[in-house]
Every structure is written in C-alpha cells, then in structure tokens.
Amino acid sequence: MEEVVTKNEGDKNEWRQDSGKSKASKPKTLNEIESSGEIRIATPDQELNRVLGGGIVPGSLVLIGGEPGIGKSTLMLQIGLALEKAKVLYVSGEESEQQIKMRSERISLKEKSQAANSHENFYMLAETNTKNIFQAIETLEPNLIIIDSIQTLHSHMLESVAGSIGQVRQCAGELMKFAKETNTPVFLVGHITKDGMLAGPKVLEHMVDTVLQFEGDRHLAYRILRTTKNRFGSTSEIGIYEMLGTGLREVSNPSEILISQKDGLLSGVTIGATIEGNRPLLIEIQSLVSAASYGTAQRTPTGFDQKRLNMLLAVLEKRCGFRVGTQDVFVNMAGGIYVEDPAIDLALCISIISSMQEIPVSDKICFAAEIGLGGELRAVNRIDQRISEAEKLGFKEIYISKFSQKSIDLRKTKIEVKSFGKLTEVFGDLFG
Ligand code: TYD
Ligand code: MG
C-alpha cells in the first residue's frame, strides 16, 4: 500500500485560506437552514437529466466513471458546450487546449445554431495543480466545473504522485468542499474499469453524491450512462447514446437500436420486454447452442448474469427435459446492454431452445416473465408498461405469466396478450 505523506500538517486547509474564505461551520437548527427545495438545472441533454434524476443539483459532486476511450471526455465537453447560459469551466489534465478545441469543433459540426459555435461561456483550462485550479475558479466564478480527469490532479498538500489513492481522495475532497461551500456543481471524470481494476476513483464512490458509469462495447457505437449511486434520485435509470463522428447522439427511442436489423428470421433470436429504470426497453437476445466438443460445456453470457444463466439452464434440463447439459451455450444481449430485469428470463429460455432446435421465433412476438425454479412463469412488475411499449413498436403478440394477467386491462390492448403458467406450455405453443 502507498504511504500518504502530508507536507504541511498545520495547514491542511491552505487552499481555502489562500482565498481568505475558510471559516469553521457553525451548528444550525433545521429552521435556520434555508430549504433549497428541488432546484435542478435541466441540461439540454435529456439522457443526462434522466440519469441525474431530473437535472444537475446545485452543489453536487458527480463522478463519471468509465473505461479509457469510452467517451467520457466527449460527453462532458458536449454537455459543457450545450449549457449556453451557464459559465462552464472545463479543466483538463489529459489533453492540451488545442486538442480540446479540435474535439469541440468536431462536436459543433452537428449543431444547428450559429450562436452555439461561439460558446462564449465555455472556458477551458489545461492544469493539474489544484491550487492553480482554485485560483482560476476564483477569478472566473463558473456555474459548473468539469474535471477531466480526477486521476491527473495533484494537490500540493500531499507528496504522493497524481493518480495515487491519496491524491485522488485529497483532490476530490478539496473539490467537494468547494462544491458544498459555493453551491457549484462539479463533475469529476474518472477512469474506472467495470470490475474496478483501476482502484483510484473507486475510493471516491462513497464521497461523491452521484456516480454515473459510462459503459458499452468500445467497438459498438452504443453507450450507456448508468446511475450506480444517487443521493438525489433513483439508481435504476439509464441514458443511451450513440457515438458518431460528430460526438454523442442521444438515443430517445432505445428499443429501435436494441433490436438488430436482419434479413429473415434466425433461430436463437428473441425479444424481451424489459424495464430499465422508468423506461421500457425491448431488447434482442441472441443465443447460440452447440454440442460441446470436449470437457465441460461452456456457458458464456454477455450482458447477463452467469449464475442466472446457469439456473435457467438447470430449469430447462430438469423441468422441461431439454438436454442442455452437454451443450455449449453463448448468450448475447444486443447493443452491449447489461440486463438485470428478471422479466428477460422467458425470452432468454425461448432463445436458447430456439437455437437448440433450430426453429426461429417470429420477430413479431416478445416476452416478459420471470422463470421460477419449478419452471413456472412468474409475474413481473409494470406489465402494462411493457405491453404498451411492445404494442407501440408494432409487436403482434406478447407472452406473459398468467399471474401478471390480473393487473392488466386486456380490453384496451390491440396486441395479443398470451398468458401461461409454465415454461413447457410456452414451448408447446411456440414449437408445437
Ligand atoms: P473520449 O471522450 O476521449 O474517451 P474517454 O475520455 O472516456 O477516454 O472518446 C474516445 C473515443 O471516441 C475515440 O476513440 C474517438 C471517439 N470519438 C468519436 O467517435 N466521435 C467523436 O465525435 C469524438 C469526439 C470522439
Ligand atoms: Mg478522456
């Protein structure tokens, strides 16, 4: 482990004393504190507003984590540029001012308004020393600060190198104090891998108000902004973007992109009616089942939990009589999305059997039910929302659990709702 060396024990708060503003907080009664109500700064980016729980909260510290190259800088730059009325300071320790300028020109290409090109309220600063950054902040008095990235910052309070756990924590601490004292929102970019391999910014998760994870397959164009912690909203929201040559595009109708374009029907492909956060999403699942050549059969899910896949395979084997034990099973959620909604279970089981039997399933059918250990179809939440999304997207039939049925008004739906109690009944209906 690294050793944290503090240079000037006596003046830990020097960076604030420099500005002559540092004063100890006094205890207050609740009545003395002015209620800020629900003030939010709505950005022009609907996806960001959604994941933040309705916009940026003044004085909040937001960490945007993600793997290098996924598009964090692009996203932040784009949001900074889009906030035309706010004075934005974009601090970069990773790229030169020229590089950021070039990137901003690329992003601005698609913007219609000429006014947006001048970006008079957008300032950039290539700096890594927090003392210098706070000096710049003092003169500029920005309404929003973006730090790209927290790993490049360095505080003179500590001897350790930039990016070390001590520095990351110290610099974020200084910025947090600033955010709370001045009510200025601060966004911190941090390079984090999905499994938290780059430990640095991981230590910040408990300090910041909101943690957003920017993820997606780097080779695919789609990016998902996921809330993993939010003091000001739900953590189940996701925002979806598409990376274009001219920056990120908000994807407001995600079901369209999560269902791939193809000629004709393929076996092993089904559509699940899921819900992420508040938003129904129809997601395509692809399975490939083939006889295992030797040794233990492989079970490889992408975008789905491995243990849950094993459980569903055991159900297919034990309750439905399919010999999946000797098969390699590959499962993929389209669009690089990770699905946690158990309502995907049914679509996944159908997709596996469709591949194994080489019988395609109509692309006008979708599924929404959880599978229990007994091979029974279990009810899922907000079934009406799933049904209406499927109807909106032109599906003809949706298969659900008969236990979900009582919560819906079937007279209103144009889509045919088929409800079943057991997985074997669904197989009988689909594959005969
Ligand atoms: P970047 O924002 O630099 O990623 P991060 O800050 O998370 O490391 O984005 C990197 C990738 O995005 C890079 O491979 C280039 C690509 N890109 C586009 O495809 N279109 C664009 O308009 C921009 C600015 C970047
Ligand atoms: Mg970057």
Side-chain angles (χ1 to χ4, degrees):
M1 274 323 282
E2 103 191 73
E3 201 179 321
V4 177
V5 187
T6 307
K7 270 201 275 185
N8 307 316
E9 261 315 330
D11 50 1
K12 271 213 170 218
N13 278 326
E14 189 187 300
W15 63 277
R16 288 310 293 169
Q17 276 159 6
D18 280 349
S19 66
K21 272 189 200 156
S22 175
K23 49 179 186 284
S25 312
K26 272 191 300 201
K28 289 178 189 147
T29 65
L30 282 178
N31 284 338
E32 285 175 289
I33 301 168
E34 271 181 57
S35 165
S36 58
E38 261 274 305
I39 302 171
R40 301 260 183 180
I41 307 157
T43 73
D45 184 326
Q46 298 310 325
E47 301 299 299
L48 180 76
N49 293 344
R50 185 200 321 274
V51 292
L52 290 176
I56 303 171
V57 175
S60 62
L61 191 62
V62 180
L63 174 67
I64 309 247
E67 298 191 23
I70 203 73
K72 301 179 295 298
S73 302
T74 308
L75 179 70
M76 284 292 98
L77 184 61
Q78 211 171 308
I79 287 160
L81 291 171
L83 283 166
E84 285 177 51
K85 293 211 185 72
K87 203 191 265 183
V88 178
L89 178 63
Y90 182 99
V91 182
S92 179
E94 306 220 326
E95 287 155 310
S96 68
E97 287 157 1
Q98 283 71 27
Q99 280 173 304
I100 301 168
K101 169 94 178 154
M102 273 164 59
R103 191 192 294 246
S104 76
E105 283 166 353
R106 208 170 152 184
I107 292 170
S108 303
L109 281 178
K110 70 162 185 287
E111 284 177 31
K112 314 125 252 158
S113 80
Q114 283 301 308
N117 276 326
S118 57
H119 301 303
E120 278 177 357
N121 273 326
F122 185 86
Y123 293 82
M124 45 195 153
L125 174 69
E127 179 60 68
T128 54
N129 187 317
T130 53
K131 200 171 167 188
N132 298 342
I133 293 172
F134 281 113
Q135 255 162 24
I137 290 174
E138 201 107 322
T139 13
L140 189 66
E141 298 190 334
N143 310 111
L144 175 79
I145 296 166
I146 298 166
I147 304 287
D148 189 1
S149 68
I150 187 69
Q151 274 115 324
T152 57
L153 290 203
H154 178 268
S155 167
H156 70 290
M157 297 292 159
L158 297 185
E159 298 241 322
S160 49
V161 293
S164 63
I165 292 183
Q167 280 290 0
V168 164
R169 199 180 279 156
Q170 169 72 21
C171 296
E174 293 178 9
L175 286 157
M176 176 167 71
K177 195 149 180 282
F178 166 80
K180 301 297 164 200
E181 280 177 5
T182 61
N183 224 16
T184 312
V186 177
F187 281 79
L188 306 176
V189 169
H191 297 292
I192 310 178
T193 52
K194 263 186 209 147
D195 45 7
M197 278 304 282
L198 293 173
K202 210 67 183 162
V203 303
L204 299 179
E205 289 191 349
H206 68 279
M207 281 173 80
V208 300
D209 299 303
T210 304
V211 179
L212 305 178
Q213 180 80 15
F214 205 33
E215 52 191 45
D217 188 330
R218 213 180 322 164
H219 307 289
L220 294 172
Y222 298 106
R223 301 282 181 274
I224 296 175
L225 191 59
R226 190 185 282 280
T227 324
T228 58
K229 166 181 176 178
N230 195 358
R231 286 193 181 135
F232 313 112
S234 135
T235 53
S236 51
E237 291 300 339
I238 61 167
I240 303 181
Y241 297 88
E242 183 182 8
M243 180 64 95
L244 303 173
T246 50
L248 291 153
R249 176 182 77 90
E250 294 170 44
V251 176
S252 35
N253 184 5
S255 294
E256 278 172 15
I257 61 130
L258 295 172
I259 298 171
S260 64
Q261 318 292 316
K262 55 192 170 301
D263 298 325
L265 295 177
L266 278 176
S267 64
V269 178
T270 57
I271 313 286
T274 70
I275 290 198
E276 284 283 337
N278 275 319
R279 180 151 64 165
L281 289 181
L282 280 115
I283 297 179
E284 180 180 291
I285 302 156
Q286 298 186 341
S287 293
L288 186 65
V289 178
S290 68
S293 36
Y294 54 89
T296 340
Q298 297 183 62
R299 272 78 222 273
T300 318
T302 308
F304 190 75
D305 181 51
Q306 170 96 52
K307 289 203 190 89
R308 187 131 194 114
L309 174 63
N310 290 342
M311 184 283 259
L312 293 173
L313 288 169
V315 170
L316 289 172
E317 177 106 27
K318 279 284 215 192
R319 308 286 180 193
C320 312
F322 292 105
R323 304 292 307 274
V324 284
T326 55
Q327 308 281 325
D328 285 340
V329 179
F330 303 91
V331 170
N332 191 21
M333 301 290 155
I337 198 162
Y338 190 93
V339 184
E340 282 172 20
D341 182 0
I344 197 86
D345 287 357
L346 178 58
L348 187 63
C349 289
I350 304 292
S351 131
I352 290 168
I353 300 309
S354 158
S355 171
M356 197 172 159
Q357 314 270 60
E358 293 186 28
I359 307 174
V361 176
S362 160
D363 56 2
K364 293 285 167 239
I365 300 179
C366 63
F367 305 89
E370 185 180 341
I371 304 294
L373 289 177
E376 78 279 16
L377 267 54
R378 308 181 62 175
V380 293
N381 62 353
R382 290 148 71 189
I383 191 72
D384 40 348
Q385 233 176 313
R386 300 172 196 266
I387 293 173
S388 59
E389 178 74 4
E391 187 174 294
K392 207 162 73 192
L393 290 171
F395 284 87
K396 298 275 180 280
E397 292 172 22
I398 181 166
Y399 284 60
I400 64 167
S401 159
K402 68 176 182 192
F403 304 106
S404 279
Q405 209 192 352
K406 46 183 179 297
S407 56
I408 47 173
D409 184 2
L410 289 174
R411 280 162 306 175
K412 277 193 289 183
T413 54
K414 281 201 294 293
I415 185 170
E416 187 181 348
V417 179
K418 290 190 157 184
S419 48
F420 294 91
K422 287 207 180 90
L423 197 45
T424 44
E425 294 164 17
V426 182
F427 290 134
D429 188 78
L430 280 171
F431 305 125

